[in-house]
Amino acid sequence: ADAVFLQSASTGPGFFVAWAGALSYAMQIYFDFSGYSDMAIGISYMFGVRLPLNFNSPYKARSIIDFWRRWHMTLSRFLRDYLYYPLGGNRRGRARRYLNLLITMLLGGLWHGANWTFVIWGGLHGLYLALNHAFRSALKVSRHGPRIAAALETKAGRVMGIAVTFVLVVVAWVYFRAPDVATANGILQGMLGLNGVQLPSRYLPHLGGVGSALSAMGIEFVPIAGEVFGSVRQILLLIVLMAIVFVLPNINDLMRSHEPAIAKPEDVNKDSSFPTWIPGYASLIVTATLGGAALWAILNLHESRFIYFNF
């Protein structure tokens, strides 16, 4: 993520490089936030203090409304109670409601830092929320509304909702991460394919006739450093991280029978096919192994920057 956003400050990245950088940052900030929320809850619980659930698999959200019920849940409630409601909430008509959402999220973006990138990030989410609420309102009055709502509840509809929500969130993350608006715009142009579609030239000898076919389709093979895009380790790691995000349960789901955090009943996935955590020798071995691996990583791997200390 750092390599792509640093490079993009001077040159507009191609399609694959831009998406690799955006997705890498989406994973980086996800695990950064998820890990520190879990640590805060766990350390507090050791002292007999139960904190509210603050992070609940937000990339599994099926809408932007659902996303903000899962991502930084305590901040969402703060913005709702101390900005959105005092502005009038949804009590003064539909247009005023959408304006209140936009103002709330703009201020929420500014809360993260005095930079236009954060303001745009907040504005995008305000726009997303307004459109999401408008869509729900339209379904209620449309004669096709029940049919569309039923389609969205099917497995295909749920997958589509998750995919669309995730892409919108990733687009907004580009502004959140970029040092300035120009860099963010360059990366978004790359994600749209406006800077061309390039693959590392080192792939070409291994592709045979496929490489010629890709070249005929307009895909260029150019020198791209492995730390920017294209190394096997990088691609596999991104796939593994995304599989963890979208397939596996979160800690609150695994610990649901022990109620480690203060959470509403609907925030806990009671129907999860994964078993709940039970103290025992197997749990001891797994926990000790993970703890040992974490200590080894701290002592032997390069420093990993904690993103959310900024906020």
Side-chain angles (χ1 to χ4, degrees), residues 246-265:
F246 289 108
V247 177
L248 295 183
N250 59 47
I251 295 299
N252 198 56
D253 291 335
L254 290 175
M255 297 281 182
R256 59 189 181 275
S257 63
H258 303 278
E259 299 181 348
I262 300 171
K264 296 178 181 178

Side-chain angles (χ1 to χ4, degrees), residues 97-112:
R97 178 191 195 183
Y98 301 151
L99 178 62
N100 291 341
L101 283 170
L102 185 59
I103 293 172
T104 299
M105 295 310 297
L106 282 170
L107 292 173
L110 193 61
W111 175 82
H112 286 82

Side-chain angles (χ1 to χ4, degrees), residues 113-171:
N115 193 320
W116 282 112
T117 54
F118 294 124
V119 175
I120 294 174
W121 172 80
L124 282 173
H125 274 281
L127 179 63
Y128 293 163
L129 286 168
L131 290 173
N132 198 170
H133 280 287
F135 176 72
R136 290 189 174 185
S137 297
L139 285 185
K140 293 178 180 178
V141 298
S142 171
R143 61 190 181 93
H144 300 294
R147 188 182 305 172
I148 296 173
L152 292 175
E153 290 300 321
T154 63
K155 186 174 182 179
R158 291 195 296 270
V159 171
M160 183 184 71
I162 291 171
V164 171
T165 302
F166 179 67
V167 170
L168 292 175
V169 169
V170 170
V171 167

Side-chain angles (χ1 to χ4, degrees), residues 209-283:
V210 175
S212 301
L214 292 174
S215 297
M217 294 168 58
I219 297 177
E220 305 172 81
F221 288 87
V222 299
I224 299 176
E227 66 270 14
V228 176
F229 171 72
S231 70
V232 174
R233 176 181 175 274
Q234 180 197 63
I235 294 172
L236 287 178
L237 181 59
L238 195 54
I239 292 172
V240 169
L241 293 178
M242 292 183 70
I244 292 172
V245 165
F246 289 108
V247 177
L248 295 183
N250 59 47
I251 295 299
N252 198 56
D253 291 335
L254 290 175
M255 297 281 182
R256 59 189 181 275
S257 63
H258 303 278
E259 299 181 348
I262 300 171
K264 296 178 181 178
E266 59 267 26
D267 291 332
V268 182
N269 185 12
K270 296 182 175 62
D271 300 323
S272 174
S273 58
F274 289 88
T276 185
W277 186 83
I278 300 174
Y281 289 113
S283 299

